Amino acid sequence: MILVTGATGTVGRPLVRALRERGATVRALVRDAGSVPAEWDDGVEAVVADLNDAGSLLPAVDGVDAVHLLTPVDPGAAGQARNVIDAAAKTGRPRVVLQAAIGVGRRTSPVRFFAAHAAGFAQVNAAGLPWTVLAPNGFQQNFLGLAASLRAGILALPAGDAAVSYVDARDVAAAAAEVLTTEGHEGALHELTGPEALTHEEIAGLIGAVLGREVVYRARTPDRARTALLDTGLDEWRASGLVELYGMYAAGEAAAVTDGIPRLLGRPARSLAAFLTEHAPALRATPTTSQERPA
Ligand SMILES: NC(=O)c1ccc[n+]([C@@H]2O[C@H](COP(=O)([O-])OP(=O)(O)OC[C@H]3O[C@@H](n4cnc5c(N)ncnc54)[C@H](OP(=O)(O)O)[C@@H]3O)[C@@H](O)[C@H]2O)c1
C-alpha cells in the first residue's frame, strides 16, 4: 500500500493513475471526501486528512509500505512535512519518497517555497526512515496559468535571459511511480528535467507558433513582477516566493538537463514543444478561472 499526499494535485493525480496502471494499491490523501476524482477505482482508498492536523495523519499512514510526500506551496508546508513523517515513524517504517525541487542541496538562491523540502529531508533523516528524493524542475504545466497574458502576446516573467529545462509534471509522476514500485532507490536523489533548456525568448517563440500569433518575452525586474503579482490579488508570501523562484531561474540554477527521466523510465522526457502543442486548445481558450497570474 502506497500513501500519496497531494493526490488531487498536478503531480498527485497522474501519480495515482500511474501507480494503478502498475497494479499498486494506493491510499490517496484528500482534504475533502467530495474531491475524490471519478477515475479512482477500488484499488484507490481515499483517506480524509489534513496535513496541518497531526492526529488525522495517523490513520492515513498506518500500515503503508511507502509514502509519496508532496507538500503544497504553503507557508505552513514545513510543519506539514514534519507532521507526515512523525506520523509515519510512529506507525511503522515506510519508505519515503520526498518531492523536492531542482538544485536541492546545491542551489545558492533562496526560495521560500522549498523550505518545506529541506524540513522534510531533515525529519526523514532524524526519524531514520529510508528515503529517496525527487527534485523536479519547474513544471511545463505552469504555462497554462499564464494563458491570458500569452493570448495578449506577452510572456512577462522575472526570469532574465537564462534557460530553464521545464519538465512535464506527468513525467515527474511517472518517475515517482517507478521509484515507489521498484527497489534500489534508497538514498538516491533523482533530478528530473525536460529534454532541453530553453530561454524564455525561445519559449515565447514556441507559444507564438502554437497560438498562431507573435508572443514576446518581457524580462521583468523583481520589483515590477512582485507588484504585478500583488495586483492580481496574490498574497505577499506567494508573490515574493514566485519572484525568488524566477530569480533562481535567472541565476541559471534551473538550466541543467539531467538524465533522470530517461534513466528511470527508459524513454526521453517529454518536450515543452510537445506539451504546448497538446495543450493548444487550453492556451487558446477564453479563461474560465481566476488562476491566471501574469507577472
Ligand atoms: N509547480 C512547479 O513548477 C514545481 C516544480 C518543482 C517542485 N514543485 C514542488 O511540488 C510541490 C507541489 O506539487 P503540485 O504542483 O503537484 O501540487 P498542487 O497541484 O499545488 O496540489 C497541492 C496538493 O496538496 C493538497 N493540499 C493542500 N493543502 C493541504 C492540506 N492542508 N492537507 C492535505 N492536502 C493538502 C491539495 O489538495 P486540495 O485538492 O484539497 O487543494 C493538492 O492535492 C511543492 O512542494 C512544490 O515546491 C513544484
Side-chain angles (χ1 to χ4, degrees):
M1 173 77 81
I2 297 167
L3 174 69
V4 176
T5 70
T8 54
T10 310
V11 171
R13 268 187 187 241
L15 173 56
V16 171
R17 206 175 298 138
L19 288 169
R20 287 300 298 134
E21 283 165 8
R22 287 166 176 258
T25 50
V26 179
R27 189 175 287 161
L29 193 151
V30 295
R31 279 195 281 192
D32 170 10
S35 66
V36 170
E39 70 185 41
W40 289 357
D41 64 11
D42 288 348
V44 185
E45 177 196 334
V47 59
V48 177
D50 192 308
L51 299 176
N52 293 310
D53 177 357
S56 75
L57 294 170
L58 290 169
V61 294
D62 191 27
V64 300
D65 307 299
V67 177
H68 185 77
L69 178 53
L70 184 164
T71 44
V73 172
D74 184 276
Q80 296 173 351
R82 289 190 205 101
N83 285 344
V84 174
I85 292 158
D86 286 349
K90 272 185 194 145
T91 55
R93 205 171 173 276
R95 287 201 289 144
V96 177
V97 175
L98 186 65
Q99 184 174 309
I102 194 87
V104 62
R106 63 174 163 74
R107 74 174 83 84
T108 55
S109 308
V111 180
R112 69 191 64 192
F113 297 162
F114 300 159
H117 308 151
F121 187 62
Q123 200 77 355
V124 161
N125 277 296
L129 297 178
W131 57 264
T132 308
V133 174
L134 297 182
N137 210 341
F139 300 155
Q140 294 170 2
Q141 277 75 2
N142 296 347
F143 288 97
L144 299 177
L146 302 174
S149 174
L150 298 174
R151 275 191 296 275
I154 295 170
L155 174 63
L157 294 169
D161 58 6
V164 177
S165 54
Y166 289 100
V167 65
D168 190 320
R170 294 169 298 182
D171 279 353
V172 177
E178 171 70 15
V179 167
L180 286 159
T181 56
T182 60
E183 298 300 320
H185 304 286
E186 199 173 318
L189 163 66
H190 299 289
E191 289 208 307
L192 307 175
T193 74
E196 59 186 343
L198 299 167
T199 65
H200 289 81
E201 202 170 300
E202 291 169 327
I203 292 169
L206 290 178
I207 295 168
V210 164
L211 291 180
R213 62 154 300 160
E214 187 184 25
V215 176
V216 177
Y217 173 55
R218 301 234 170 98
R220 295 294 192 224
T221 63
D223 280 349
R224 182 164 176 190
R226 185 182 294 103
T227 302
L229 287 163
L230 291 171
D231 285 349
T232 69
L234 202 63
D235 62 76
E236 167 61 34
W237 186 85
R238 284 177 178 78
S240 294
L242 274 173
V243 170
E244 289 167 1
L245 176 69
Y246 283 104
M248 179 193 120
Y249 293 176
E253 295 196 67
V257 174
T258 70
D259 67 351
I261 297 288
R263 204 165 15 83
L264 287 169
L265 300 180
R267 62 158 174 83
R270 298 179 209 217
S271 71
L272 182 59
F275 175 87
L276 295 169
T277 303
E278 178 186 348
H279 291 86
L283 289 168
R284 286 195 203 109
T286 307
T288 53
T289 74
S290 57
Q291 300 292 315
E292 307 214 351
R293 302 202 181 280

